[in-house]
Amino acid sequence: MEEKTSTFLIIASTVAALGGLLFGFDTAVISGTTPFIQPFFHLSDVGLGWTVSSLLIGCIIGVTLSGRPGDLFGRRNTLRAAALVFFVSAVGSSLAARLWVFIVFRFFGGIAVGTASMLSPMYISEISPGARRGALVSLNQLAIVIGILIAFFSNYLLVGVGPDNWRWMLAVMGLPALFFFISLLFVPESPRWLVQKGKTEEAFGILSRINGSEKASTELRDIESSVHNEERGTYREVFSKELRPLLMIGVLLAIFQQMTGINSIMYYAPIIFQKIGNGTSSALMQTIAVGAVNLTFTIVSLKLIDRWGRKPLLIVGAIGMVVSLAVIAIAFFTHHFEGYLILVFILIFIASFAVSIGPVAWVVIAEIFPNKLRSKAMSVAIVTLWTFTFLVSLTFPVILDRLGGGAAFAIFGVMCLLLLFYVIFRLPETKGKSLEELERILVSKRG
Ligand code: BGC
């Protein structure tokens, strides 16, 4: 029985985490296409920045909009709709003959990414028992990183298929999107949402399959009381004086995560590698190394996060990022690109990010807010995260072109230094405590 129930839970969580995989795939796939879409659509650097970032505007809107349909039609049904939008966006952008068509389809892809970035973790947390929630939230980050690696790899495989290579790179995303849609037909709706809709019996059936019927009744009571609590949470409370210090933590971690410059490498790696004198194919190969290191160190982080705690990981990672960014910046300033120097330090940077602020930002954002305000406060932090993803990826090609790589990476290095000080002097440790304990400690101490 134990085994059967956990298989059921793992399958449902994995299906939802496919939303994270598409998030990773869709955001990173663009990196392999930029060397080809720039000449095809006759894009300036500013134009390229806008074209790459069009998806991210969609993400911001997707996060903002997904709460309501998620509440009205259910998390699972809204994720199904997002899966279809992923599919349409993949096919549409791959067929685009004009720039505006390309941008519109990427924008819709962004709405799907934003929706998945809110609803996949929300669905997982609502279907999983409290004791496993932390690990399962991290499963979503793991899926994001796997999605990024698959995108890099398929870009590498497709680069040689001819002048339509960038179209194929985008079109293949239709496959996981379709798979996501079909597998969502086989998972249950979130029991928490069902309770909200008064479908208590159905919720009880699902909880029994997850936990056995004895535990299910206790959990159903908990859910009923927390659903009741959640109804009292409003945006006014999210922005209240009492919650502000916690909101600041979520928002600052979101800003810092993006101001490390991670996505300047995730989205523009082949261009960077080409700029320092590599051919497109070898540049794409090096990009795969970026994805592989990212995945490996995300796994390292997941193993350490509950043992070492969030702060030690952030400190180690921030130091690694400051050092590697400093070396990269100096290499750009002095035009020293011999051998694999830049690649090695880019990989050290990626490893430092993946072990620290990459997963930790998402985990902390998901755990510091009081139960009843969690989803609203999380959406504020996640919208901030996407807004900064957008700003960095919009301005990066321009900064790279006008001021050079030295200035760009120096700015990111200074931000990592600020992150280091912030973590050492301001951030509370959140390891090993239940959400309710955290709520008591953080809200009363800071409020
Ligand atoms: C970030 C993404 C980034 C990815 C890289 C995520 O935690 O939110 O912006 O592309 O990590 O692994």
Side-chain angles (χ1 to χ4, degrees), residues 73-376:
F73 308 115
R75 282 64 163 131
R76 182 191 53 178
N77 289 336
T78 310
L79 279 174
R80 278 182 194 161
L84 286 181
V85 178
F86 270 122
F87 181 78
V88 171
S89 150
V91 176
S93 59
S94 77
L95 294 175
R98 290 171 184 220
L99 182 62
W100 70 265
V101 178
F102 183 80
I103 289 182
V104 165
F105 278 108
R106 289 290 292 165
F107 171 80
F108 279 109
I111 292 190
V113 174
T115 304
S117 75
M118 263 301 278
L119 292 189
S120 287
M122 190 185 285
Y123 174 88
I124 297 175
S125 73
E126 289 185 352
I127 196 164
S128 49
R132 300 201 215 158
R133 203 158 43 211
L136 292 165
V137 170
S138 306
L139 189 68
N140 196 55
Q141 168 72 7
L142 193 63
I144 295 173
V145 173
I146 293 174
I148 293 175
L149 183 59
I150 295 178
F152 286 164
F153 197 62
S154 92
N155 284 353
Y156 174 70
L157 292 179
L158 290 167
V159 73
V161 300
D164 282 340
N165 55 3
W166 62 272
R167 297 188 185 279
W168 284 107
M169 291 175 188
L170 292 160
V172 291
M173 203 188 55
L175 290 176
L178 219 51
F179 183 69
F180 185 36
F181 179 78
I182 293 170
S183 45
L184 278 168
L185 297 174
F186 299 99
V187 301
E189 185 44 273
S190 149
R192 208 157 183 280
W193 179 79
L194 288 169
V195 172
Q196 260 169 5
K197 293 285 149 187
K199 299 180 180 171
T200 318
E201 247 172 69
E202 212 177 312
F204 181 72
I206 294 163
L207 289 169
S208 308
R209 285 186 72 188
I210 296 171
N211 274 330
S213 52
E214 236 175 80
K215 272 198 188 164
S217 356
T218 331
E219 204 166 345
L220 192 62
R221 269 199 303 280
D222 279 354
I223 292 178
E224 279 177 321
S225 84
S226 81
V227 163
H228 176 68
N229 270 340
E230 197 157 283
E231 278 168 0
R232 300 203 308 254
T234 60
Y235 274 106
R236 184 186 279 255
E237 286 175 79
V238 169
F239 291 106
S240 68
K241 218 171 135 228
E242 204 192 22
L243 202 78
R244 203 169 300 150
L246 291 188
L247 196 64
M248 281 300 285
I249 295 176
V251 165
L252 280 177
L253 284 181
I255 295 175
F256 276 127
Q257 194 207 49
Q258 292 305 314
M259 287 304 293
T260 58
I262 182 67
N263 287 316
S264 63
I265 292 176
M266 289 298 153
Y267 304 166
Y268 295 109
I271 288 192
I272 298 173
F273 290 132
Q274 266 180 315
K275 251 200 159 48
I276 58 181
N278 298 318
T280 310
S281 168
S282 134
L284 286 180
M285 184 66 183
Q286 297 180 10
T287 307
I288 293 179
V290 166
V293 168
N294 194 17
L295 172 60
T296 310
F297 283 85
T298 301
I299 295 171
V300 172
S301 175
L302 300 191
K303 297 231 176 266
L304 295 179
I305 192 163
D306 287 318
R307 272 197 271 155
W308 285 21
R310 285 65 167 143
K311 283 182 71 157
L313 284 180
L314 286 173
I315 291 170
V316 170
I319 293 173
M321 289 189 286
V322 170
V323 172
S324 50
L325 286 168
V327 174
I328 298 170
I330 291 169
F332 267 95
F333 279 130
T334 57
H335 299 284
H336 273 93
F337 300 133
E338 295 87 21
Y340 286 97
L341 179 86
I342 296 271
L343 177 64
V344 168
F345 280 91
I346 282 185
L347 294 181
I348 295 176
F349 167 75
I350 297 292
S352 311
F353 173 90
V355 91
S356 62
I357 186 97
V360 173
W362 289 103
V363 169
V364 173
I365 287 171
E367 71 188 0
I368 44 164
F369 300 116
N371 285 332
K372 67 171 182 167
L373 294 173
R374 181 165 304 119
S375 65
K376 290 195 171 66

